[in-house]
Amino acid sequence: SQTIHQWPATLVQPVGSPLSLECTVEGTSNPNLYWYRQAAGRGLQLLFYSVGIGQISSEVPQNLSASRPQDRQFILSSKKLLLSDSGFYLCAWSLGSPGGQETQYFGPGTRLLVL
Amino acid sequence: GESVGLHLPTLSVQEGDNSIINCAYSNSASDYFIWYKQESGKGPQFIIDIRSNMDKRQGQRVTVLLNKTVKHLSLQIAATQPGDSAVYFCAVKGPAFSSGSARQLTFGSGTQLTVLP
């Protein structure tokens, strides 16, 4: 069966510091991968998605970036964190289907607090 | 683009009663719909999905109803239990003819379901 991992689970970082969050998927090949951010009491905002190694689509202009160095690894980064980057970051995967109607499965999330 | 709204941000029900959580979407050409359950501090968990060629789909204690005429989606939970307390999100996928971000999932803001003893 497929599993998705995220780490760290929680992170407290000062403003201006760099960020690296990692997501890995096991038990599947060539998944679509996604990064979402969830503010407290809000829905999920799509940040990036990837349909393959090195292929990244950005949805929201921001100081974050994403990379996919391996098939089942997705990394969210920042060179300098802002206070507004605080939130709950979720990674998700799906398997592409011809009709595009595929379910996304989420990881456990990383709670980031920027002080 | 797509916009998704939930009718009530909070819902309280007695244990054993049925729960109904509603969701409205804007794009009549949207073709795939998912309900997720999110417990505090955890990632969303898939509950049930439905495609636009269906009106109703049932799972274990859950039923999703899709009314394409009024662009409305609902999740029904039978015999609600304390473990059902969580935030419930609907997610809507953009039309098949769209591409890029328009083809991605748009999430509602969530309904907090509280089960009372």
Side-chain angles (χ1 to χ4, degrees), chain A residues 50-99:
Chain A
S50 171
V51 299
I53 296 175
Q55 300 178 62
I56 309 293
S57 296
S58 175
E59 294 304 303
V60 182
Q62 61 218 327
N63 67 323
L64 299 173
S65 62
S67 61
R68 185 170 177 173
Q70 300 180 42
D71 180 44
R72 291 169 291 175
Q73 184 184 30
F74 206 21
I75 297 173
L76 183 69
S77 304
S78 174
K79 292 182 179 178
K80 287 186 177 182
L81 284 169
L82 306 173
L83 287 173
S84 58
D85 291 324
S86 294
F88 193 43
Y89 287 83
L90 290 156
C91 181
W93 71 272
S94 69
L95 287 179
S97 64

Side-chain angles (χ1 to χ4, degrees), chain A residues 34 36 38 41-44 46 49 59 88 90 97 99-109 111, chain B residues 31-32 34 36 38 41-44 46 49 51-52 89 93 96 99-101 103-105 107-109:
Chain A
Y34 309 83
Y36 290 86
Q38 184 177 32
R42 303 287 297 276
L44 281 67
L46 180 64
Y49 68 94
E59 294 304 303
F88 193 43
L90 290 156
S97 64
Q101 296 170 337
E102 68 270 13
T103 303
Q104 291 183 22
Y105 299 94
F106 286 85
R111 187 162 302 283
Chain B
D31 64 353
Y32 183 53
I34 310 174
Y36 288 94
Q38 186 177 26
K42 298 183 179 179
F46 171 83
D49 60 358
R51 288 170 170 73
S52 56
F89 292 96
K93 190 147 195 180
S99 61
S101 60
R103 186 60 176 139
Q104 300 305 319
L105 287 177
F107 286 79
S109 53

